[in-house]
Structures are given as C-alpha cells and as structure tokens.
Amino acid sequence: LDIIEIQSTMKNSMKVALALAALCFLSSSIVKDAISTPSEARRELSGKPKKPHRVGGKLGKSAKQNQQQQDDQPLYDETCPLALVNYLNDAASRDSNKFAKESGALEKVHEGFDAGAFEGRKVVVAGDSTYRTVVSSLSCLFHVAGRWKSEDSYKVGLNFGELFYDARLLLQGGGEIFFAPLAGAVTAFWTGGLLAEVHPLRGQEDWYQSCQDRKPFYFAHYKVEAPKGEWFEDYSPDNPSLEMIELGKKDVVFFQGGHHNSRKQNLLNINRLMQCVKDAKAKGEDPGWPTLHYVRSTPQHFPGKSDGGYVAENKEKYGKSKCLDYIV
C-alpha cells in the first residue's frame, strides 16, 4: 500500500501512516495468545523464525513441524473486542497472516508506537469495510501487546453481524483511534443494500465549509463510556452518549475513496478539501487543522480460497469465480 502525504506538519504523522500501511497486510490476520508486555509482544509478533536444528544436513522432522506451527500461529483472535470474527480463520486470513510476519509489518506497527507516533494524537480513518478491517487489525495488535488504556476503553456503533460501522479506541499515552466513515461529510459509503435505510453516525459538520471559513474541524462520535449495545444514526447535542471531537494540528486523518458507487464523488470531495487546506496554509490561514492523507484502497477482503477464488456463495453474489486482475 502506498501512502500519499498531502499535508505533513509533523514527522510522527508519517510514523502513523507507516503503521497503517503495514496494517493493510494484516487485514484478515489473527492472534491466539495474549502477550503481557510490549517487549514480549514485539519479540513474539515479529514472526522471525529461530534457526532450525538440522539432522544430518537436513531439517529434522520435529524442526519442520515446529516451523510450520510458528508460521501458522495466528496474530490475534476473537478475544480481541474489535476483531471482525466474520473474517477470521479462512484461507485468505492464514495467507495474510504469514505474509504479515514475513513483511515485517508488525515491527513497523510497534516501532511507531514506541516512537510516540500515537501519543496524545487522534488518528481518524474515514473509509469503507476494507479500512474498517485495517482499524480492526491495528486495534487488535495493540490489544495483544497490552497497549490499550484498559480492557474496555473502546466503543462501537451500528454493529451488524459482528461488523461495526463506527469505532473509537483509547490507547496508553493518550492516543485515540477512530473509525468514522462519515466524518466531516467528506466521504460516504454503504449507500445501498444492507444499510440503505440506516447509516453510520452522521454529524452536521462539513469540513470543506469549515475550511472555507478557516474554522477548526470537528466530528461527531461516541463517548467511550457510552453503553456498549447502543448506536445512533445522527448526532444530537442532547444525547449523553455522543460528543463533538475537535481535531488539532497534532492529529491525523486518513481518507479512502473506497469500493462503493460513491467512490467517484468521494475522490472529488477529498481532492476539493485538500486543495482548500493547501491554499489556506499557503496564505498562513491554517487555524490548526490536522494532517490529511489520502490512502489507496486495498484489495477487497471477502472470504475466498487460497488460490484466489471466491467461495461458492460469493461467486453467485459477485458474479466472478476468481479475484479481479486489478483494481483502480
């Protein structure tokens, strides 16, 4: 995944970008055992194999078995509160799990955290279900490593079939991760099908208008202490479970065009907002906006077989027996 930095004001924001880029390799990965300390987590999650014991110049059978077990060891599982259980344990998740270890993605994630990339920073992801999976993976790796502020320092909204459509997570060091698809009225997803009659949390803020007026960016989201089972479609100042979040210069927002019919309009809106911010900064009229990034959409993540084929029910649903050759 390529991260295109549009407006960069702090070196640490790129560390966050690298962490998210690394997590795109983990979109279907899983971990079995919780690790108590960050140092132990990095050692266990690095996935680097120990030098195998050889017998007579060849790899011993027990060593091969141990190596295979290490390769197959999942990165996290359903014990993570933000795990997307619908995507766990299929062939694609096992392959991505192996690739994540070989690529060094895990090391990048924890290097970024140790370097303070998330400390006191709000990280907002406005994307579709592919970037929801990235948020889930990042959150679950931090859960395994003991990086969450507490075991219940999270909140999700509009949860259908174990899939959340808004999420908020508090980390140690004061950092926060938000999945907020409709933040700032910049992007829109799931405009048909299952969510045709309902939608993720939507506020009244419009970041492009705020940019035109040279005002700070706000977005509506859940309070972490809000009851876990409730969800809302629209923000109200009278709702005790919701609040307006102000973004500052230290914060980072990632936008994705997505795979939905709204992609073209999303890209137009993202470009318009970023151009407005660029022009305002050139004139010294930035009131302290967050750093904005555009991220390329990842391949789709629907359950499939290790050879790239969709499972039978998806073949009928999506009209293809194999993955697409490319996406644009």
Side-chain angles (χ1 to χ4, degrees):
L1 174 70
D2 293 330
I3 299 290
I4 302 176
E5 182 178 7
I6 306 299
Q7 300 291 337
S8 179
T9 58
M10 300 187 68
K11 292 182 180 179
N12 272 344
S13 71
M14 282 308 297
K15 294 173 183 174
V16 178
L18 287 172
L20 281 178
L23 256 295
C24 290
F25 297 129
L26 310 181
S27 59
S28 298
S29 318
I30 47 180
V31 161
K32 191 156 188 171
D33 298 315
I35 300 171
S36 58
T37 68
S39 60
E40 291 172 348
R42 290 193 300 276
R43 185 163 58 252
E44 290 294 327
L45 293 177
S46 67
K48 291 185 177 179
K50 296 180 179 179
K51 188 174 182 179
H53 173 65
R54 293 183 178 273
V55 179
K58 295 183 179 180
L59 191 65
K61 183 177 180 180
S62 61
K64 287 182 179 180
Q65 292 174 338
N66 291 338
Q67 183 62 54
Q68 186 61 48
Q69 290 176 353
Q70 187 176 24
D71 290 342
D72 293 341
Q73 176 68 26
L75 298 173
Y76 60 85
D77 63 14
E78 63 275 3
T79 59
C80 171
L82 292 180
L84 301 175
V85 297
N86 290 12
Y87 298 115
L88 300 182
N89 296 312
D90 63 12
S93 72
R94 290 192 294 272
D95 289 343
S96 64
N97 181 71
K98 184 173 183 292
F99 182 61
K101 293 179 178 180
E102 294 175 349
S103 69
L106 297 168
E107 294 169 332
K108 290 296 183 183
V109 169
H110 291 287
E111 284 174 8
F113 193 96
D114 288 340
F118 292 86
E119 186 173 348
R121 171 173 285 116
K122 300 180 186 73
V123 178
V124 182
V125 178
D128 65 14
S129 57
T130 55
Y131 269 81
R132 170 178 58 200
T133 311
V134 172
V135 169
S136 172
S137 292
L138 181 62
S139 301
C140 287
L141 289 177
F142 285 157
H143 180 261
V144 168
R147 308 280 196 173
W148 287 23
K149 182 178 180 181
S150 68
E151 187 64 23
D152 61 351
S153 61
Y154 72 96
K155 166 64 181 165
V156 299
L158 198 60
N159 196 325
F160 286 155
E162 305 299 330
L163 300 173
F164 56 79
Y165 286 82
D166 291 284
R168 181 178 185 178
L169 171 64
L170 273 59
L171 301 171
Q172 294 177 6
E176 296 188 66
I177 299 174
F178 295 86
F179 181 62
L182 305 185
V186 181
T187 55
F189 308 98
W190 306 293
T191 54
L194 179 64
L195 297 184
E197 303 300 326
V198 295
H199 53 75
L201 181 62
R202 177 177 58 194
Q204 299 176 346
E205 69 285 349
D206 182 326
W207 287 354
Y208 179 69
Q209 187 60 52
S210 296
C211 179
Q212 295 278 66
D213 297 337
R214 305 304 195 250
K215 294 181 179 179
F217 292 169
Y218 291 83
F219 70 103
H221 217 282
Y222 293 88
K223 295 179 180 178
V224 170
E225 60 269 23
K228 290 291 189 277
E230 66 180 13
W231 58 268
F232 305 97
E233 296 181 68
D234 295 284
Y235 171 77
S236 168
D238 299 323
N239 190 327
S241 295
L242 304 177
E243 64 179 327
M244 295 299 294
I245 309 295
E246 181 177 1
L247 296 175
K249 188 176 291 291
K250 189 175 182 179
D251 303 322
V252 186
V253 180
F254 295 90
F255 293 111
Q256 173 205 17
H259 294 284
H260 296 252
N261 293 335
S262 56
R263 175 179 174 81
K264 183 176 181 180
Q265 187 61 50
N266 288 342
L267 293 176
L268 290 173
N269 291 348
I270 294 168
N271 183 68
R272 182 179 68 165
L273 174 62
M274 289 186 165
Q275 188 61 52
C276 178
V277 169
K278 181 179 179 180
D279 293 344
K281 288 188 174 184
K283 298 175 182 178
E285 298 174 350
D286 174 6
W289 289 315
T291 299
L292 306 181
H293 296 270
Y294 168 74
V295 290
R296 295 182 180 180
S297 294
T298 67
Q300 296 187 45
H301 55 164
F302 300 104
K305 296 183 295 184
S306 58
D307 67 353
Y310 287 117
V311 292
E313 55 267 29
N314 282 345
K315 177 179 178 181
E316 179 178 355
K317 181 177 180 180
Y318 299 107
K320 292 182 180 294
S321 60
K322 295 287 184 181
C323 290
L324 299 176
D325 293 331
Y326 62 91
I327 59 173
V328 295

